[in-house]
Amino acid sequence: MKRKSLFLLVMTIMMVLLTSCWSKKELTDLAFVSAMGIDKTKNGRYELTFQIINPGNVAGLQGGGGTQSPPVTIYSASGDNLVEASRRASARISRRLYYAHTNLVVIGEKLAREEGINILIDSIDRDPEFRITTSLVIANQSSAADLVKALTPVDKIPANKIMKTLEFTQRKWGENLKVSFQEVMRSLESPGGEALVSGFRLVGNPQQAEKLDNLQQSAPEATLRASGIAVFKNGKLIDWLYNSPARGSVWILDKIQGTDINIDWKGKKRSACLSNSSSKNGCICKNEKRKTLRVRSHSRRRRSWRSGGPC
């Protein structure tokens, strides 16, 4: 009798613990957002642009199928805040926006300069679906909507194109860096309140970039490219860094992984490829107005093809 009672008790407990998922979400009811763009309209409202994946079209393109449908669909909505704009989008989308797979957030340059990004980052960080590892970029000389709407060759998901480009150029050239929300939040909360965020821009006609015809050319008329590093002070965009200043900033932060340096040798330009670089910084204050920053870098040098060997 005791054994039977014990068995019934164990079965009852198991029935309670092994219940089905109470918060299940059907895939057919979700719209997977791969990228989101944030702009400010002329009347002061936030405009959100959502890049939503079309799973069937992506699978067909990757498998070499003959589908002519785009791999992503774009929806836009506006509101007085991010929550309102996101909920207003439900009037246009037949599925619930799902942000757990959002890999990229693009913020327009005008919004970053005039209002800053502190409020935006705080709002996104409070959303339980958003990941703090999501990458952040600033639209340089373009709107965030233009970047999110653009279709890209090779990488069928435009968000993947931007992230892979930043990762590759940081490793090979060093004038851009890939940063996440977590890294930006830490930088803005530091004593100086400064942060560096890579910029991206659309080169070409924005309307042409949205069409599949643009991808049917060997040299697309409109493309996305990394462009500069945005400098933030107290949450607001104050300047852009390009070329050597941009690479120097990444070097000082000890985030440069590889680059190429030209050296004058016997009257000719020689190229030295640096890899596995590590830096140590030190600041020397000569007076109140002048400071000297010394950077010691240790790298392995390899010959390049311009000096007779592979880089």
Side-chain angles (χ1 to χ4, degrees):
M1 186 65 181
K2 291 183 179 179
R3 181 178 297 180
K4 185 176 181 180
S5 300
L6 180 60
F7 176 76
L8 292 175
L9 178 62
V10 172
M11 292 299 295
T12 302
I13 296 175
M14 291 179 63
M15 290 176 61
V16 174
L17 297 178
L18 301 179
T19 55
S20 59
C21 298
W22 62 272
S23 60
K24 68 179 181 67
K25 299 179 180 67
E26 297 292 343
L27 293 178
T28 54
D29 296 332
L30 301 177
F32 293 92
V33 181
S34 59
M36 183 177 71
I38 309 175
D39 289 300
K40 201 70 174 291
T41 61
K42 294 181 180 180
N43 56 5
R45 293 165 64 87
Y46 292 101
E47 182 179 10
L48 300 185
T49 306
F50 304 99
Q51 185 182 105
I52 298 177
I53 299 176
N54 296 327
N57 297 342
V58 173
L61 288 169
Q62 292 179 345
T67 178
Q68 294 299 318
S69 300
V72 295
T73 301
I74 304 299
Y75 291 96
S76 300
S78 60
D80 293 329
N81 51 64
L82 298 187
V83 177
E84 179 184 348
S86 178
R87 292 183 179 274
R88 280 182 177 273
S90 62
R92 303 182 181 183
I93 307 175
S94 60
R95 302 184 180 188
R96 187 178 77 83
L97 294 174
Y98 191 59
Y99 298 104
H101 292 275
T102 303
N103 296 320
L104 177 70
V105 172
V106 184
I107 298 178
E109 181 177 0
K110 181 180 179 181
L111 174 59
R113 282 189 182 277
E114 297 178 356
E115 184 175 312
I117 61 176
N118 285 340
I119 297 178
L120 304 179
I121 291 181
D122 181 69
S123 300
I124 294 175
D125 182 50
R126 293 176 186 273
D127 192 307
E129 285 188 356
F130 264 101
R131 296 175 298 173
I132 59 176
T133 56
T134 299
S135 298
L136 176 66
V137 300
I138 306 300
N140 187 354
Q141 302 180 19
S142 306
S143 66
D146 289 341
L147 266 64
V148 174
K149 291 179 181 179
L151 298 176
T152 57
V154 185
D155 296 297
K156 302 308 177 183
I157 305 299
N160 293 343
K161 146 77 175 181
I162 294 178
M163 292 187 301
K164 289 181 179 180
T165 300
L166 290 177
E167 182 178 352
F168 184 75
T169 189
Q170 177 181 349
R171 185 168 66 248
K172 291 295 184 179
W173 188 233
E175 290 185 2
N176 297 90
L177 69 163
K178 181 181 178 183
V179 296
S180 64
F181 269 91
Q182 184 180 36
E183 293 172 318
V184 175
M185 286 189 293
R186 287 177 178 176
S187 298
L188 293 177
E189 291 175 357
S190 63
E194 301 170 349
L196 299 180
V197 183
S198 280
F200 238 83
R201 63 178 297 189
L202 174 66
V203 180
N205 188 349
Q207 286 74 30
Q208 182 66 20
E210 302 174 19
K211 301 178 181 179
L212 279 173
D213 295 341
N214 188 54
L215 305 181
Q216 303 301 321
Q217 308 176 43
S218 58
E221 296 181 9
T223 58
L224 297 176
R225 60 164 297 176
S227 178
I229 296 179
V231 181
F232 284 85
K233 177 69 174 180
N234 296 325
K236 288 189 176 183
L237 174 62
I238 60 173
D239 201 2
W240 287 94
L241 300 177
Y242 301 96
N243 302 322
S244 296
R247 183 163 53 169
S249 299
V250 179
W251 211 318
I252 291 173
L253 293 175
D254 196 21
K255 291 187 177 181
I256 198 165
Q257 300 177 22
T259 190
D260 176 280
I261 298 178
N262 290 330
I263 302 175
D264 290 326
W265 187 67
K266 294 184 178 181
K268 295 182 180 180
K269 291 287 186 180
R270 298 295 182 179
S271 176
C273 295
L274 303 182
S275 61
N276 300 328
S277 175
S278 61
S279 304
K280 291 184 179 181
N281 307 326
C283 183
I284 301 176
C285 300
K286 295 184 177 180
N287 51 56
E288 295 182 357
K289 296 183 178 181
R290 184 178 178 182
K291 296 182 180 179
T292 302
L293 183 64
R294 292 183 177 178
V295 180
R296 293 185 177 181
S297 181
H298 299 274
S299 305
R300 291 189 302 174
R301 185 181 66 84
R302 294 182 296 173
R303 291 188 302 166
S304 73
W305 60 272
R306 279 178 286 178
S307 60
C311 181

